[in-house]
Amino acid sequence: MTVRILRAADLTAAPWKNGGGLTREIATGPEDAGADAFDWRVSLADVTADGPFSAFPGVDRILTVVEGAGMDLVVGGEHHIVDEPLWPHGFPGDLPPEGFLLGGPVVNLNVMYRRTRTRAETAVVCGTVRLLPPEGGAVLAVSLDDGAELAGGGGGVRLDRYDAVLAAGGPPGVLRTMGQAVLITFSRT
């Protein structure tokens, strides 16, 4: 079993692939894979202005607004009003997406995965949940509030806002949230 605690304080902001905003990468599979080599990638994207998002051919995306009023997400000319906070919204990364802010800046939790190699499922959870990575896959939990705890193995690890736990090869324990967390499960296709 492999378990990694990923601290928000250690995340480095980098420009989007198209230079239109900033992203803070939380984790990739395989670890340290570049923008063209990942099987999956999870990041926090700061969107401060209207404009195009980066296109990622062969990649499916799941966007969850974790801060702010939301956006009008236009994918291939089709409008999707993403104004419900903490509601995962999937779309193909092949089509050129654009975002139009509804009421100021937002922070999006962005999940990307190559559909020929990986499948991702995203859920927002509250309370206590057992982290169960699928065989050959991984599970990533991102705390959306201070005070979450990963309990197991004879002790607990505190997770604050945007801290994450990544596990593969076996269940790392139970996540207890003081608020909410985003749970992403990655499995091989």
Side-chain angles (χ1 to χ4, degrees):
M1 175 177 59
T2 304
V3 178
R4 291 179 42 216
I5 304 300
L6 308 163
R7 300 290 180 190
D10 297 334
L11 303 180
T12 303
W16 292 354
K17 182 176 156 184
N18 72 2
L22 292 176
T23 188
R24 290 164 283 154
E25 184 176 286
I26 296 171
T28 59
E31 188 178 350
D32 297 324
D36 296 322
F38 64 80
D39 289 346
W40 58 264
R41 178 179 185 257
V42 178
S43 63
L44 292 164
D46 298 313
V47 184
T48 59
D50 297 343
F53 287 14
S54 302
F56 285 88
V59 172
D60 284 332
R61 298 176 72 166
I62 303 169
L63 179 147
T64 305
V65 175
V66 295
E67 287 183 44
M71 59 181 25
D72 178 3
L73 181 64
V74 182
V75 181
E78 185 177 318
H79 291 263
H80 303 267
I81 303 300
V82 183
D83 62 349
E84 181 137 2
L86 307 180
W87 190 269
H89 183 83
F91 62 97
D94 312 82
L95 302 174
E98 290 184 272
F100 299 93
L101 299 172
L102 297 178
V106 298
V107 176
N108 296 324
L109 183 78
N110 189 30
V111 177
M112 295 187 283
Y113 59 98
R114 289 198 199 283
R115 67 180 71 94
T116 59
R117 297 189 288 220
T118 305
R119 177 174 166 78
E121 295 178 17
T122 301
V124 177
V125 297
C126 181
T128 301
V129 62
R130 183 168 301 284
L131 300 181
L132 298 170
E135 188 171 327
V139 64
L140 177 73
V142 181
S143 179
L144 298 180
D145 302 286
D146 289 341
E149 182 181 71
L150 176 64
V157 176
R158 180 184 165 96
L159 300 173
D160 288 325
R161 188 174 200 188
Y162 300 141
D163 286 348
V165 58
L166 175 62
V174 172
L175 179 69
R176 293 187 178 100
T177 68
M178 296 301 289
Q180 295 168 312
V182 178
L183 183 66
I184 308 125
T185 303
F186 299 99
S187 54
R188 305 298 278 169
T189 56

